[in-house]
């Protein structure tokens, strides 16, 4: 996955950017699943078409059925592998998306804590400055 950076806002990461990224990952997952399903449909259509047309790879009369079975088996295994690979890729995408989402949330929480800490410090400093001004004003009035 590409290194993704989200803009920081006052209370953490830009929610719209994060949501858009998650939607993009979900679409990639859906595309991978759809592609695997399409490959499965194409395999079934090819099998049906070859059976209807009586297409055989003629090697000799004794082993043509074995050859056809072997071709179908190999094709089936290849497409099953493609389907399995697509499902694994989709699973990996979802897993990476979850990991990145967790990382984003952790960073957002860390930034939120840091901002709150800074805010408390600023408020304490403002209170101290206000108290000093009050003291100066009281001495100046007397």
């Amino acid at each position: 996955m590409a290194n993704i950076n989200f803009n920081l806002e006052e209370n953490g990461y830009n929610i719209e950017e994060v949501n858009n990224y998650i939607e993009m990952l979900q679409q990639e997952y859906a595309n991978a699943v759809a592609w695997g399903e399409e490959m499965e449909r194409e395999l079934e259509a090819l099998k049906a078409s070859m059976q209807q047309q009586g297409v055989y790879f003629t090697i000799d009369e004794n082993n043509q059925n074995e050859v056809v079975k072997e071709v179908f088996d190999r094709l089936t295994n290849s497409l099953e592998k493609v389907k399995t690979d697509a499902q694994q890729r989709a699973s990996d995408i979802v897993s990476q998306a979850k990991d990145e989402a967790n990382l984003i949330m952790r960073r957002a929480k860390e930034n939120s804590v840091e901002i709150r800490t800074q805010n408390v410090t600023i408020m304490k400093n403002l209170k101290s400055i206000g108290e000093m001004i009050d003291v100066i004003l009281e001495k100046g009035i007397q």
Side-chain angles (χ1 to χ4, degrees):
M1 292 240 119
N3 187 11
I4 304 299
N5 292 314
F6 298 99
N7 292 319
L8 286 175
E9 295 181 346
E10 183 176 325
N11 292 325
Y13 286 103
N14 180 298
I15 294 296
E16 185 175 336
E17 289 178 351
V18 172
N19 287 341
N20 288 340
Y21 182 68
I22 290 171
E23 286 176 18
M24 185 268 310
L25 292 173
Q26 288 172 330
Q27 186 60 47
E28 280 190 39
Y29 173 77
N31 290 343
V33 168
W35 181 75
E37 291 170 349
E38 179 63 27
M39 292 295 103
E40 192 171 333
R41 283 190 296 274
E42 286 182 26
L43 170 63
E44 292 304 318
L46 180 59
K47 284 180 181 178
S49 174
M50 290 181 77
Q51 288 174 351
Q52 286 176 349
Q53 296 176 24
V55 175
Y56 294 95
F57 298 93
T58 305
I59 303 299
D60 65 39
E61 291 185 19
N62 295 325
N63 70 355
Q64 67 181 359
N65 288 336
E66 290 177 29
V67 170
V68 170
K69 182 182 180 320
E70 184 177 336
V71 169
F72 275 122
D73 288 346
R74 286 183 185 184
L75 182 58
T76 301
N77 290 339
S78 294
L79 288 177
E80 285 298 321
K81 182 174 179 354
V82 167
K83 179 182 173 184
T84 300
D85 290 348
Q87 289 172 333
Q88 182 60 49
R89 182 171 177 254
S91 177
D92 291 347
I93 289 169
V94 169
S95 178
Q96 288 174 340
K98 286 179 181 178
D99 290 347
E100 288 199 27
N102 288 334
L103 178 62
I104 289 166
M105 292 303 294
R106 185 173 42 85
R107 286 181 181 163
K109 287 177 183 177
E110 290 170 356
N111 287 339
S112 176
V113 169
E114 184 178 328
I115 290 169
R116 287 183 182 148
T117 301
Q118 290 173 356
N119 189 35
V120 167
T121 302
I122 290 169
M123 294 305 291
K124 285 180 182 178
N125 289 341
L126 287 174
K127 184 177 178 184
S128 294
I129 290 171
E131 290 171 354
M132 284 189 248
I133 290 172
D134 287 345
V135 169
I136 290 170
L137 289 174
E138 284 180 15
K139 288 185 178 184
I141 295 176
Q142 293 177 356

